[in-house]
Amino acid sequence: MPRGEKPAGPDGVTLVAEADIVSVSKCTRGEEAPQIEPIIAFYIFLGAHVLAAQFSPIQDCDEVFNYWEPTHYLNHGYGLQTWEYSPEYAIRSWTYTGIHASIVGIWQLFPFSTKATEFYFLRVILAFVCALCETRLYSTIVRTLNPRVAIFFLMVMVFSPGMFHASAAYLPSSFAMYCTMLGLSAFMDWKGGVRTAQGVFWFAFGGLIGWPFGAALMLPFLAEEVLLASMTGQVWDAFLRFIDGGARAFTVLALQLCIDTFFYKKLAVVPFNIVLYNVFSGANKGPNIYGTEPWHFYIRNLLLNFNIWFVLAIVAFPLLLLQHFSRTQSVSRQTLLRGLVFVTPFYFWLGIFTLQPHKEERFMYPAYPALALNAAMSMHILLAYLGSTNPRDIVSKIPPQLKLAFVSIAVLGALDFGVLRIIGMATAYSAPLKVYSPLQHPGVARPGDNVCLGKEWYRFPSSYILPDKVKAKFIKSEFSGLLPGEFSEANIGFGFYPGAWLMPSGMNDENKEDPGKYTDIKHCTFLVDSYFPDTTPSEHEPNYMLDTETWESVKCEPFLNTAQTSTIGRLLWIPDWPIIPERYRRKWGQYCLLHRKDQSVWIPLPFKRPAASPYPDWSLSTTKPLPYRPFRYGPKYNVTMGLRTMHWDDWIELDNQYPKFHALKAQRITERGKKCCHTAPEAFDGACELLEELCDYLPQRYPSLYRKTAVGMDNLVTGETFDIVERPLKEDPMQMAARFVQDDLAIMFERPDGQYYLLAGAILLAGFWRLEDKFGMPLSEIHTSGDVPQFKEKLEKGMLNFFKRVMPDKAVLRNNYFIQVDGELAWSSSIGGEDEEGIGWFTAEKNKKIGWHWFRSERQSLRRLPRSGGVVFTIRTYFHPITEICDEPYVPGRLASAVRSWGDDVSKYKGREQYQDVLLEYLDRKHEEQVANGLDMTKEDEVRSYPY
């Protein structure tokens, strides 16, 4: 090929060589332009967008109610429904939501998936797809234009606040943006042949599945195709390419039609319905009823979201013309046409939507890649001019250092402004994604709870953020438009997804309020509300956060008070540093999840404990106590509740120590009676419910020991018969329950003041505490009266919340341990007599011989009784001589480390001073013996795990 000749395309159309559309300066000509490899660019795009997926606030309630909620319905069978999904209107595509629900469905296959992780997983996938599409367009720019243009394109896409929101947004406009990048890539890249059909397909795919108006961005390229075809005489070939692209688009439309018709149970051409509603709906309907904006709305918005890059995008067209007519060697008209076509889509899009009265930021999303391309081309042209060494150019007389400083300030300033705005938005408005997190904690919320939204309805981040079967409800606020309803949950006799085609009530396309969408606030378990000190409450929007008699705060997050914050504080991240003048600092309100206080009356739940399977090979003679050794290596001892989930089969543990425990309990019942076993009259039903639960569970789990009867159960070993139905019972229900198991038992009940009280107990083998001292006390006082270490600082709040939230289907376990310097299981006489006052470790004999040291471990279960609402403790004690457990591998060394890790408060509580010298010397010696005998310390985790 002769030097300087352009390669020809398959249809005789001359292709454009790199750097012809946008020139390079003479000083860089001949040098290799800086370049970032596409794979590196992909990782940069992906990293930025994954951060957006994690931290970007949801800006538009349409994203939640029109896309997240229908997807939630597909994944979980319930969700909020807007009028757009009513079969009467059908202007939202189930194909689009179905694609995303399928992605979430893949994540649901993993056992560790939760609804909250489903939400973020989908956002990360959207970020991943966006990065792939950007990388495709980036590669095309490198090949078709110039690597430096591609680098500027990358900078715009990564550092612009607009892309921070758009990249991982679950919106059709974002989907159209992804397809725009693929369509631009196809139309721009003529190397290897003209890709008109591919370009038409991608724009059509984004328009049909996503947003129909997004397809308008391909019109400049189609016009170019028609013009070039007429100039070259290749009309038929161009026509065939159009037909090919149209056929691909029609295939997509046909598939979409089938899917949407399946869901709506009627013929539904959703893209047509969208255009019909938005363009031809007539008076009192259409998008304008949701508000209009002045003509300069998008200019202001794009300046905020793209700053200097928007200005550069606007001047791309004149800069291309100026470059063409000022160059020494002018390029062909075809080359100029290509460049102008590349920059035209952004102008075309901006012009169309500026003329529309109803404006929203997301309407610009499809054109963001075109904006970035325009800005990158403009920056490249300007840099080429600034780098000129032509003496006739005034700019050549400016010192290079000054030009470098100017360019650096402009580019770095644009990047810094973008990053500061991104951080500012993420920190100012992230509260709605954070305050719901306590609901995910065990026992905080239960199925059937309502989380109500008043004036904050439009910031709700979707039902994915709520636990399963906890639903969002609306209460009346000052908003008077149409709120979403709920998809029908009919599931018998209606086929698949009946909520998609059953006609909902109260829907209209005129934004008229439907009172049926509201819930009475008395049915709200939780409420999300915001509080700004400068706002004035109203009848429908009182300050719920100040109503502390009704509501308690579960979690609050700061939320920007835009009315009190300066303009610069609203636009950018301003640190709250003392050196920043007060007038420039950001001012904050509170965004809170509230919980109703007046929930003390327990409503019985229909929960039924799963049937227990028989204990494998259980024998009263051979089944040994489980070797609980719930101590960890130091140097730090953590004071926590230490809860873990309990399998229902494992509620009660019996072993070959049962005869000993049973006889000792019977003896103590005879000797001490009500001092050890007592039920308050108000707790009688709960204690009887515990009897029923035990009489149901024990014969299932231990059929060789217990047999269920019509009135209770029989003990097949002792010959005892228990009748739990007769009234009055032969003995206190807790005393009877104590004879069933090796555990001590206690039940806490909530009183109207919201506190939980010990109102039923059988505490026979506790060792260090007496039921008569604690009976009738609230939960906090039980622990503070016993000087439990760090209870107020670390345990009280979590424990109180746990008791309020724990549900019948969520049983938990915990373990603890003590050292005892006598061998008495029921009561440790070393701390004083059981009936004496002023008992404590200070009375114990110090440094008794190691044979007097015993290891006392408790395995506690906690569960809610579904009928009475009482919270049952079972406290099973395991009691072994220290010398016995120290024969086990690893135990001496680990126990010595654990004892040494106790802080002063824990040491005092556990009485370490009375035994530490003898105990630690013995433990260290036994540990050294084990190591000397070949114990491999590196393999401990292979042979044991907590709490064993």
Side-chain angles (χ1 to χ4, degrees), residues 40-115:
I40 302 301
F42 168 74
Y43 289 133
I44 296 172
F45 287 132
L46 182 63
H49 301 333
V50 167
L51 288 175
Q54 182 68 27
F55 298 109
S56 174
I58 294 180
Q59 285 194 301
D60 196 320
C61 63
D62 264 6
E63 179 177 351
V64 172
F65 298 125
N66 274 325
Y67 307 105
W68 281 110
E69 286 299 308
T71 305
H72 187 273
Y73 169 69
L74 295 180
N75 287 134
H76 296 280
Y78 65 96
L80 299 172
Q81 180 183 24
T82 62
W83 68 268
E84 290 98 323
Y85 280 91
S86 170
E88 181 179 356
Y89 306 106
I91 66 169
R92 294 289 179 256
S93 174
W94 284 106
T95 306
Y96 178 67
T97 51
I99 292 171
H100 295 77
S102 299
I103 295 171
V104 173
I106 295 172
W107 181 253
Q108 289 178 315
L109 298 176
F110 293 94
F112 48 78
S113 70
T114 64
K115 287 175 58 181

Side-chain angles (χ1 to χ4, degrees), residues 807-827:
M807 297 307 299
D809 63 335
K810 304 293 184 184
V812 297
L813 294 172
R814 66 181 302 271
N815 289 76
N816 60 27
Y817 68 96
F818 299 89
I819 305 298
Q820 189 170 319
V821 291
D822 58 65
E824 300 171 42
L825 171 63
W827 177 258

Side-chain angles (χ1 to χ4, degrees), residues 850-866:
I850 194 63
W852 288 98
H853 290 61
W854 286 67
F855 177 73
R856 185 184 192 98
S857 173
E858 292 181 349
R859 182 254 196 194
Q860 302 174 0
S861 76
L862 296 87
R863 57 167 293 197
R864 172 91 69 180
L865 296 172

